[in-house]
């Protein structure tokens, strides 16, 4: 398998549930990202990990908890979510987070469509 | 406050004609820009990028133009094909920003036969 794989593709959860989103990349990259895409809004960066270390938390509520056990895997643990958290959650990876002045394109997974009921 | 704006949510073009997708930005620190393409039920895929030291970058049927004074960039697709029908996202970043991208809301392109 190649590229960036996200599971599950769809998830419906209640507000009191605990669930986890999984992301795996087979590209040999060292940086991984979580983005959120709500309806009619741009992709919003949530978290950045570089060489397994979290380098960015974009003011994300604590009900979202990321975990990066190694450079190939990234999780997003969810608990006590709200209906407004329903969105498409996209994982991405890139070579690393070092700027080269030209942008290092990120490779995205297919996303997890989350519905909170 | 959106720093990257795609003011046209949709665009319809005939096959064989030129598609022009526009993007405006407000942050002067942005010094590189990327276009991503997204099909339904798939993640965005990288299409083409441009650094602020250039005003044009071409890759096959796709050309991106950058007008720094106007803080505007555009993606030209010539000739347009039905397989180009997708949502196109403009994204921007800046040197020293840790490779974080700021995205626009996307433009849905439909190429009709």
């Amino acid at each position: 398998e190649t590229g960036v794989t996200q599971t599950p593709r769809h998830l419906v959860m209640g507000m009191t549930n605990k669930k986890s989103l999984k992301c795996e990349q087979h590209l040999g990259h060292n940086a991984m990202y979580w983005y959120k895409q709500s309806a009619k809004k741009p992709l919003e960066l949530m978290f950045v990990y570089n060489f397994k270390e979290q380098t960015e938390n974009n003011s994300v509520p604590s009900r979202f908890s990321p975990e990066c056990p190694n450079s190939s895997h990234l999780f997003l643990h969810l608990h006590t979510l709200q209906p407004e958290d329903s969105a498409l959650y996209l994982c991405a990876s890139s070579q690393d987070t070092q700027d080269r002045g030209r942008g290092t394109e990120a490779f995205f997974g297919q996303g997890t469509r989350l519905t909170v009921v | 406050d959106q720093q990257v704006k795609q003011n046209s949510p949709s665009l319809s073009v005939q096959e064989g004609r030129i598609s022009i997708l526009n993007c405006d930005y407000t942050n002067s620190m942005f010094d590189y820009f990327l276009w991503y393409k997204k099909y339904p039920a798939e993640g965005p895929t990288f299409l083409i990028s441009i650094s602020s030291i250039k005003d044009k970058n071409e890759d096959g049927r796709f050309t991106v133009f950058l007008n720094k004074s106007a803080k505007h960039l555009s993606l030209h697709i010539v000739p347009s094909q039905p397989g180009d029908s997708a949502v196109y996202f403009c994204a921007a970043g800046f040197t020293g920003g840790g490779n974080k991208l700021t995205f626009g809301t996307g433009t849905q392109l439909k190429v009709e036969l």
Side-chain angles (χ1 to χ4, degrees):
Chain A
E1 220 176 317
T2 58
V4 182
T5 305
Q6 289 186 244
T7 54
R9 294 291 307 280
H10 300 272
L11 178 63
V12 178
M13 62 185 287
M15 288 188 282
T16 58
N17 290 158
K18 289 184 181 181
K19 296 285 184 184
S20 296
L21 310 185
K22 179 182 175 182
C23 177
E24 186 173 359
Q25 58 95 2
H26 303 271
L27 300 167
H29 288 163
N30 294 302
M32 296 187 79
Y33 311 77
W34 279 116
Y35 282 87
K36 173 184 177 182
Q37 187 182 20
S38 304
K40 307 258 193 268
K41 289 188 176 180
L43 273 76
E44 300 170 61
L45 180 66
M46 299 174 72
F47 301 103
V48 181
Y49 278 82
N50 193 39
F51 292 93
K52 301 189 299 178
E53 297 297 319
Q54 187 181 123
T55 59
E56 181 85 13
N57 177 338
N58 201 20
S59 303
V60 181
S62 59
R63 57 186 185 269
F64 296 90
S65 174
E67 179 190 1
C68 188
N70 54 61
S71 292
S72 299
H73 293 84
L74 185 65
F75 295 90
L76 188 62
H77 303 300
L78 316 170
H79 62 99
T80 59
L81 294 193
Q82 305 298 312
E84 58 264 29
D85 296 321
S86 299
L88 179 68
Y89 289 84
L90 287 160
C91 172
S93 71
S94 67
Q95 185 176 343
D96 52 46
T97 60
Q98 180 184 347
D99 283 306
R100 294 173 174 82
R102 56 174 172 78
T104 302
E105 59 267 25
F107 292 78
F108 284 84
Q110 294 170 303
T112 295
R113 174 67 63 185
L114 174 68
T115 304
V116 181
V117 297
Chain B
D1 178 39
Q2 274 185 253
Q3 298 184 55
V4 177
K5 298 177 184 177
Q6 293 177 258
N7 292 317
S8 298
S10 64
L11 174 67
S12 188
V13 171
Q14 269 197 314
E15 182 181 13
R17 298 288 187 100
I18 183 171
S19 295
I20 300 177
L21 297 104
N22 294 303
C23 178
D24 297 291
Y25 61 96
T26 57
N27 190 338
S28 301
M29 291 185 65
F30 290 142
D31 58 10
Y32 58 82
F33 305 88
L34 304 90
W35 284 94
Y36 280 84
K37 175 180 177 180
K38 184 180 183 301
Y39 292 117
E42 293 185 15
T45 54
F46 170 74
L47 193 58
I48 191 169
S49 64
I50 189 166
S51 162
S52 61
I53 62 172
K54 294 184 173 182
D55 53 19
K56 176 182 174 181
N57 188 25
E58 192 172 349
D59 183 2
R61 297 186 296 115
F62 302 91
T63 303
V64 56
F65 295 92
L66 176 61
N67 182 333
K68 290 185 290 292
S69 60
K71 293 192 178 66
H72 176 84
L73 62 154
S74 60
L75 174 68
H76 292 213
I77 307 174
V78 181
S80 301
Q81 299 174 353
D84 297 328
S85 298
V87 178
Y88 289 80
F89 292 99
C90 172
F94 60 92
T95 305
N99 209 34
K100 297 190 295 286
L101 298 176
T102 301
F103 283 83
T105 50
T107 297
Q108 172 75 61
L109 173 66
K110 184 176 180 183
V111 180
E112 297 172 320
L113 297 170

